[in-house]
């Protein structure tokens, strides 16, 4: 009995270095955010007025909250799926031994290491309606100019283009490593059995790179929920709230309206969405990912 207690104490002792930062930098702030979501506070006054569930009731009856939720969903789908598909397509192209593939890989990956703020400023110039490069190129193709960042129907598309331009090269690198680790004897055996390129891709390549797809889908989903820099630089959530995600709504509530209670309730909703998506991802991963 004493030996068992000693071994359990040893386990707790060895995990303390990891538990202490977790408590200080994650669980502690998380608990404080949940507490603030039940209060009415403006950052300035010394007292925090306890209001119960009023902040959550306000959110659930606020049409702007549902609009931001919809924008967040559209931004997530519009950034995660094209990044995974585009990254895989580029990786397969780079894996086909084309000439100067190293230069192309460097060019495609370079947006990822460029600061998002700098990228967003450059693209804001490109999307400028009157003298921007985007409308100039559309004019060469005979297409009428687009308002891009000033048009509520196109602003989210413009932000998604920038996000995809920055992320696809990063996803390509992961897929390129996964493709080069595929067992060549398995692909050769499939060719001997008469399988064409599509059959090999569907039955061998996709299942074997499914762990990479699973990893990228989780990381990219989290990144889409955390997207802030490009929205702040390019549109500030506008025009008319067409690019205001939940995270940007949180920022506006906390640091523009100084409504900390409402902002904290939005943060709690974002955390719950992360937990829900993580649960769904791991359930799907058990069925679709092949290790």
């Amino acid at each position: 009995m004493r030996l068992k207690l000693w071994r359990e104490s040893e386990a707790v002792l060895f995990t303390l270095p990891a538990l202490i930062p977790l408590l200080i930098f994650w669980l502690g702030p998380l608990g404080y955010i949940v507490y603030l979501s039940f209060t009415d506070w403006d950052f300035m006054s010394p007292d925090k007025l306890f209001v119960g569930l009023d902040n959550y009731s306000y959110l659930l009856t606020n049409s702007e909250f549902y609009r931001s939720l919809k924008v967040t969903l559209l931004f997530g789908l519009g950034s995660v799926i094209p990044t995974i598909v585009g990254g895989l397509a580029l990786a397969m192209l780079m894996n086909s031994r084309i000439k100067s593939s190293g230069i192309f890989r460097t060019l495609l990956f370079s947006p990822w290491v460029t600061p998002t703020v700098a990228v967003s400023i450059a693209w804001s110039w490109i999307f400028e309606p009157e003298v921007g490069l985007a409308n100039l190129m559309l004019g060469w193709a005979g297409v009428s100019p687009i308002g891009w960042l000033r048009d509520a129907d196109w602003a989210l598309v413009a932000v998604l283009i920038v996000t995809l331009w920055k992320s696809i090269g990063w996803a390509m690198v992961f897929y390129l490593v996964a493709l080069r680790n595929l067992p060549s004897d398995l692909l050769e055996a499939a060719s001997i059995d008469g399988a064409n390129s599509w059959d090999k891709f569907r039955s061998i390549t996709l299942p074997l790179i499914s762990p990479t797809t699973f990893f990228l889908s989780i990381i990219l989903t989290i990144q889409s929920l955390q997207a802030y820099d490009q929205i702040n630089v390019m549109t500030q959530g506008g025009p008319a709230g067409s690019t205001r995600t939940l995270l940007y709504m949180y920022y506006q509530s906390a640091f523009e309206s100084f409504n900390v209670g409402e902002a904290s309730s939005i943060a709690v909703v974002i955390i719950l969405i992360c937990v829900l998506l993580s649960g769904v991802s791991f359930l799907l991963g058990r069925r679709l990912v092949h290790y």
Side-chain angles (χ1 to χ4, degrees), residues 256-274:
E256 292 181 4
S257 303
F258 299 103
N259 194 336
V260 180
E262 180 187 318
S264 300
S265 63
I266 297 171
V268 172
V269 171
I270 294 174
I271 292 169
L272 291 176
I273 291 174
C274 288

Side-chain angles (χ1 to χ4, degrees), residues 83-238:
T83 299
I84 288 176
V85 174
L88 178 57
L90 287 175
M92 295 189 71
L93 187 64
M94 294 295 113
N95 198 41
S96 60
R97 302 181 186 281
I98 63 172
K99 291 182 179 178
S100 306
S101 63
I103 297 175
F104 289 120
R105 286 199 305 270
T106 303
L107 291 175
L108 289 168
F109 184 71
S110 59
W112 180 254
V113 296
T114 308
T116 307
V117 173
V119 167
S120 302
I121 292 173
W123 276 94
S124 296
W125 294 337
I126 293 173
F127 286 133
E128 211 286 326
E130 296 175 359
V131 295
L133 182 62
N135 277 349
L136 181 65
M137 295 177 69
L138 288 178
W140 293 341
V143 179
S144 301
I146 296 174
W148 294 112
L149 303 179
R150 301 178 189 176
D151 189 334
D153 295 329
W154 284 97
L156 185 62
V157 176
V159 175
L160 281 171
I161 289 173
V162 177
T163 306
L164 294 176
W165 180 80
K166 186 172 172 61
S167 305
I168 283 181
W170 176 76
M172 175 200 71
V173 172
F174 284 90
Y175 274 126
L176 199 55
V177 174
L179 289 174
R180 291 189 174 176
N181 285 329
L182 290 178
S184 58
D185 54 342
L186 198 59
L187 294 171
E188 290 171 3
S191 298
I192 293 172
D193 289 340
N196 56 33
S197 298
W198 170 248
D199 291 334
K200 288 189 284 186
F201 175 74
R202 182 171 56 89
S203 303
I204 299 175
T205 303
L206 276 183
L208 291 181
I209 64 172
S210 57
T212 303
T213 304
F214 180 61
F215 167 78
L216 288 175
S217 63
I218 292 176
I219 297 299
L220 290 170
T221 300
I222 294 172
Q223 288 178 355
S224 72
L225 288 171
Q226 295 176 338
Y228 170 78
D229 291 347
Q230 61 269 52
I231 295 173
N232 189 40
V233 172
M234 298 176 70
T235 62
Q236 292 84 47

Side-chain angles (χ1 to χ4, degrees), residues 30-41:
L30 177 62
Y32 191 57
I33 285 288
V34 173
Y35 161 70
L36 288 178
S37 69
F38 296 113
T39 66
D40 180 13
W41 187 42

